[in-house]
């Protein structure tokens, strides 16, 4: 027997809540605007839930009309704010959230966030609250979808920062070690490495040996006449400062370390993120409108599809080995 329903009589949904959850990502506001406007278009009453599951538990729930989402599609962050909520990860927390959702008469909830947020949404589904997830995370690490809202903007921010660091590295003949976001996933790292011609890229998905994978290629590049070097380290690898120190000590090359940090999350969403967020938001509402519940919206090729939430959560994404190979060939 299924853990939750996948169909509902469309007329049974009248009031829809929407939240942003987990790490913020550029384009979350655009998705929120699309969800609210599409919901109103189809005749639903729309409610913003502040601060993700924390706000649901606190009953921070407000009715939203079309003007509440005016002038936000170009703004980074999320006007609903977001949070990570430990209480919701307990059965008691989920039960309390269900009660609050019923107090506010929410017939369905749209969750804009990453895979952790979808696991939370699946708990709501199991407890009888219909949900739809929209993938919003800069990491692009959600297996079921080719693309997550925020990724393109974050990547462009990273590329812009590396370009600038590279300008000064070239002028001074330095090695620049740059840490980019990605705790478990190396998409930002490998894509920024290809985009910026980084000589070395170390990913959280792969173990590495400092001599073999970092020192040797840097020396090989120097012997080929290169006078500046970019080493990208994904956040999840850790030890960025130590790696920079070792490059300096072993090779004698002046080496600086930069941790890009939260600059990567902010900023106005790119065109790609605005279009994707808009179409995913519309698809989420049209999915509910058709009576399909407990889904995650995904981009597959050129198509926006609604997948069963369990299938969506269980689909794993694998790093493309061809990307790693391409970077090695092109940068050395
Ligand atoms: P990002 O990828 O940007 O980090 P995320 O959505 O994966 O975003 P998480 O911190 O993993 O971010 O999850 C957000 C929230 O979802 C958590 O704080 C918690 O409230 C809820 N959540 C995560 N996992 C579960 C779970 N297994 N059961 C219930 N709730 C969960």
């Amino acid at each position: 027997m299924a853990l939750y329903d996948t169909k509902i009589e469309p007329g049974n949904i009248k009031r829809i809540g929407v939240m942003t959850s987990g790490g913020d990502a550029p384009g979350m506001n655009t998705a929120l605007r699309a969800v609210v406007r599409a919901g109103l278009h189809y005749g639903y009453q729309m409610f913003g839930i502040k601060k993700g599951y924390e706000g649901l538990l606190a009953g921070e729930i407000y009715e939203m009309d079309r003007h509440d989402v005016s002038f936000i599609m170009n703004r980074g962050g999320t006007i609903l704010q977001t949070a990570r909520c430990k209480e919701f990860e307990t059965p008691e927390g989920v039960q309390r959230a269900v009660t609050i959702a019923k107090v506010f008469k929410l017939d369905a909830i749209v969750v804009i966030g990453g895979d952790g947020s979808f696991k939370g949404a699946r708990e709501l589904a199991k407890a009888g609250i219909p949900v739809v997830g929209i993938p919003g995370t800069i990491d692009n690490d959600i297996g079921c979808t080719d693309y997550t809202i925020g990724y393109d903007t974050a990547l462009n921010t990273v590329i812009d920062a590396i370009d600038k660091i590279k300008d000064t590295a070239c002028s001074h003949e330095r090695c620049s070690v740059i840490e980019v976001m990605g705790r478990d996933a190396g998409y930002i790292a490998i894509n920024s490495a290809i985009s910026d011609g980084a000589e070395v890229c170390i990913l959280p998905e792969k173990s590495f040996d400092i001599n073999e994978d970092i020192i040797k290629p840097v020396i090989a590049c120097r012997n080929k006449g290169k006078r500046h070097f970019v080493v990208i380290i994904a956040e999840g690898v850790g030890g960025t400062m130590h790696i920079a120190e070792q490059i300096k000590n072993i090779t004698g090359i002046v080496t600086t370390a930069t941790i890009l940090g939260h600059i990567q999350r902010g900023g106005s969403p790119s065109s790609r993120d605005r279009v994707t967020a808009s179409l995913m938001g519309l698809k989420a509402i049209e999915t509910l409108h058709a009576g399909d519940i407990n889904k995650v919206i995904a981009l597959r090729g050129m198509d926006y599809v609604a997948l069963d939430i369990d299938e969506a959560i269980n689909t794993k994404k694998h790093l493309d080995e061809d990307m790693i190979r391409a970077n090695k060939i092109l940068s050395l």
Side-chain angles (χ1 to χ4, degrees), residues 34 54 56 63 65 67 110 128 151 165-166 203 218 236 259 272 277-278 282 315 320:
E54 189 179 297
L56 178 59
E63 185 159 4
D65 71 21
H67 301 297
V110 177
Y151 177 58
I165 293 168
K166 220 171 150 177
L203 306 167
V218 167
I259 294 174
R272 179 166 192 193
S278 298
L282 176 63
T315 308
D320 188 347

Short mmCIF file of all heavy atoms in Angstrom, two decimals, residues 34 54 56 63 65 67 110 128 151 165-166 203 218 236 259 272 277-278 282 315 320:
data_model
loop_
_atom_site.label_atom_id
_atom_site.label_comp_id
_atom_site.label_asym_id
_atom_site.label_seq_id
_atom_site.Cartn_x
_atom_site.Cartn_y
_atom_site.Cartn_z
N ALA A 34 5.47 33.21 -8.75
CA ALA A 34 4.75 32.38 -9.73
C ALA A 34 3.69 31.51 -9.03
O ALA A 34 2.57 31.38 -9.52
CB ALA A 34 5.75 31.49 -10.48
N GLU A 54 9.85 25.87 10.48
CA GLU A 54 9.85 26.58 11.77
C GLU A 54 8.63 27.51 11.84
O GLU A 54 7.92 27.56 12.85
CB GLU A 54 11.14 27.39 11.89
CG GLU A 54 11.37 27.99 13.25
CD GLU A 54 12.70 28.76 13.28
OE1 GLU A 54 13.75 28.13 13.09
OE2 GLU A 54 12.64 30.00 13.47
N LEU A 56 5.91 27.23 10.04
CA LEU A 56 4.67 26.43 10.05
C LEU A 56 4.34 26.06 11.50
O LEU A 56 3.20 26.22 11.96
CB LEU A 56 4.87 25.17 9.19
CG LEU A 56 3.71 24.19 9.10
CD1 LEU A 56 2.45 24.85 8.55
CD2 LEU A 56 4.08 22.98 8.23
N GLU A 63 -2.16 35.43 4.64
CA GLU A 63 -2.76 35.39 3.30
C GLU A 63 -1.97 36.32 2.37
O GLU A 63 -1.51 37.39 2.79
CB GLU A 63 -4.24 35.81 3.35
CG GLU A 63 -4.88 35.64 1.99
CD GLU A 63 -6.40 35.54 2.04
OE1 GLU A 63 -7.00 35.68 3.13
OE2 GLU A 63 -6.96 35.33 0.95
N ASP A 65 -1.86 38.29 -1.48
CA ASP A 65 -2.53 38.60 -2.75
C ASP A 65 -1.46 38.94 -3.78
O ASP A 65 -0.27 38.91 -3.50
CB ASP A 65 -3.59 39.69 -2.58
CG ASP A 65 -3.01 41.06 -2.32
OD1 ASP A 65 -1.81 41.27 -2.65
OD2 ASP A 65 -3.72 41.93 -1.78
N HIS A 67 -0.33 41.57 -5.02
CA HIS A 67 0.58 42.69 -4.76
C HIS A 67 1.66 42.32 -3.73
O HIS A 67 2.71 42.96 -3.69
CB HIS A 67 -0.21 43.92 -4.29
CG HIS A 67 -1.22 44.35 -5.31
ND1 HIS A 67 -0.84 44.80 -6.56
CD2 HIS A 67 -2.58 44.35 -5.30
CE1 HIS A 67 -1.93 45.07 -7.27
NE2 HIS A 67 -2.99 44.80 -6.52
N VAL A 110 2.97 24.06 -0.84
CA VAL A 110 4.06 24.03 -1.83
C VAL A 110 5.36 24.36 -1.10
O VAL A 110 5.44 25.38 -0.40
CB VAL A 110 3.81 25.06 -2.96
CG1 VAL A 110 4.99 25.08 -3.94
CG2 VAL A 110 2.50 24.74 -3.69
N GLY A 128 -1.03 13.09 5.70
CA GLY A 128 -2.31 13.48 5.10
C GLY A 128 -2.40 14.91 4.60
O GLY A 128 -3.48 15.36 4.21
N TYR A 151 21.04 27.76 -9.21
CA TYR A 151 22.34 27.22 -9.61
C TYR A 151 23.06 28.13 -10.61
O TYR A 151 24.24 28.43 -10.45
CB TYR A 151 22.13 25.83 -10.19
CG TYR A 151 23.36 25.15 -10.71
CD1 TYR A 151 24.46 24.93 -9.89
CD2 TYR A 151 23.43 24.71 -12.04
CE1 TYR A 151 25.59 24.30 -10.37
CE2 TYR A 151 24.55 24.08 -12.52
CZ TYR A 151 25.63 23.88 -11.68
OH TYR A 151 26.74 23.25 -12.17
N ILE A 165 39.96 37.22 -9.16
CA ILE A 165 41.13 36.70 -8.43
C ILE A 165 42.23 36.34 -9.41
O ILE A 165 43.42 36.58 -9.18
CB ILE A 165 40.71 35.48 -7.56
CG1 ILE A 165 39.77 35.92 -6.44
CG2 ILE A 165 41.94 34.77 -6.99
CD1 ILE A 165 39.08 34.80 -5.71
N LYS A 166 41.82 35.79 -10.56
CA LYS A 166 42.78 35.38 -11.58
C LYS A 166 43.55 36.58 -12.16
O LYS A 166 44.75 36.49 -12.45
CB LYS A 166 42.02 34.66 -12.70
CG LYS A 166 42.76 33.44 -13.23
CD LYS A 166 41.87 32.68 -14.17
CE LYS A 166 42.71 31.97 -15.22
NZ LYS A 166 41.90 31.16 -16.12
N LEU A 203 36.97 17.59 -5.66
CA LEU A 203 35.53 17.45 -5.44
C LEU A 203 35.22 16.59 -4.22
O LEU A 203 35.98 15.66 -3.91
CB LEU A 203 34.92 16.78 -6.69
CG LEU A 203 35.24 17.50 -8.00
CD1 LEU A 203 34.88 16.61 -9.19
CD2 LEU A 203 34.46 18.80 -8.06
N VAL A 218 50.28 21.11 -10.63
CA VAL A 218 50.74 22.51 -10.55
C VAL A 218 52.19 22.60 -11.08
O VAL A 218 52.51 23.47 -11.89
CB VAL A 218 50.64 23.05 -9.10
CG1 VAL A 218 51.40 24.37 -8.95
CG2 VAL A 218 49.17 23.26 -8.71
N GLY A 236 32.96 20.87 0.75
CA GLY A 236 32.88 19.60 1.47
C GLY A 236 34.21 18.88 1.59
O GLY A 236 34.36 17.98 2.43
N ILE A 259 38.12 31.95 0.45
CA ILE A 259 36.89 31.17 0.65
C ILE A 259 35.74 32.07 0.21
O ILE A 259 35.49 33.11 0.82
CB ILE A 259 36.77 30.72 2.12
CG1 ILE A 259 37.91 29.73 2.42
CG2 ILE A 259 35.40 30.08 2.39
CD1 ILE A 259 38.05 29.30 3.86
N ARG A 272 18.04 32.62 -16.60
CA ARG A 272 17.71 31.19 -16.55
C ARG A 272 16.96 30.84 -15.26
O ARG A 272 15.98 30.10 -15.28
CB ARG A 272 18.99 30.36 -16.65
CG ARG A 272 18.66 28.89 -16.59
CD ARG A 272 19.75 27.96 -17.00
NE ARG A 272 19.15 26.63 -17.15
CZ ARG A 272 19.81 25.51 -17.26
NH1 ARG A 272 21.12 25.53 -17.27
NH2 ARG A 272 19.19 24.36 -17.38
N ALA A 277 12.22 29.26 -12.47
CA ALA A 277 11.40 29.43 -11.27
C ALA A 277 9.96 29.74 -11.63
O ALA A 277 9.01 29.23 -11.00
CB ALA A 277 11.98 30.54 -10.40
N SER A 278 9.77 30.57 -12.65
CA SER A 278 8.41 30.95 -13.06
C SER A 278 7.66 29.72 -13.58
O SER A 278 6.51 29.47 -13.19
CB SER A 278 8.46 32.03 -14.15
OG SER A 278 9.07 33.18 -13.65
N LEU A 282 4.42 27.75 -11.80
CA LEU A 282 3.15 27.54 -12.51
C LEU A 282 2.81 26.05 -12.56
O LEU A 282 1.67 25.65 -12.30
CB LEU A 282 3.26 28.12 -13.93
CG LEU A 282 2.07 27.91 -14.85
CD1 LEU A 282 0.82 28.58 -14.31
CD2 LEU A 282 2.37 28.43 -16.27
N THR A 315 15.96 9.36 -6.17
CA THR A 315 16.81 9.38 -7.38
C THR A 315 18.15 10.05 -7.05
O THR A 315 18.17 11.16 -6.53
CB THR A 315 16.11 10.18 -8.51
OG1 THR A 315 14.80 9.65 -8.67
CG2 THR A 315 16.88 10.06 -9.82
N ASP A 320 29.37 13.81 -13.50
CA ASP A 320 29.71 13.40 -14.85
C ASP A 320 31.24 13.30 -14.99
O ASP A 320 31.94 14.31 -14.96
CB ASP A 320 29.13 14.47 -15.80
CG ASP A 320 29.24 14.07 -17.25
OD1 ASP A 320 29.98 13.09 -17.53
OD2 ASP A 320 28.61 14.73 -18.09
#
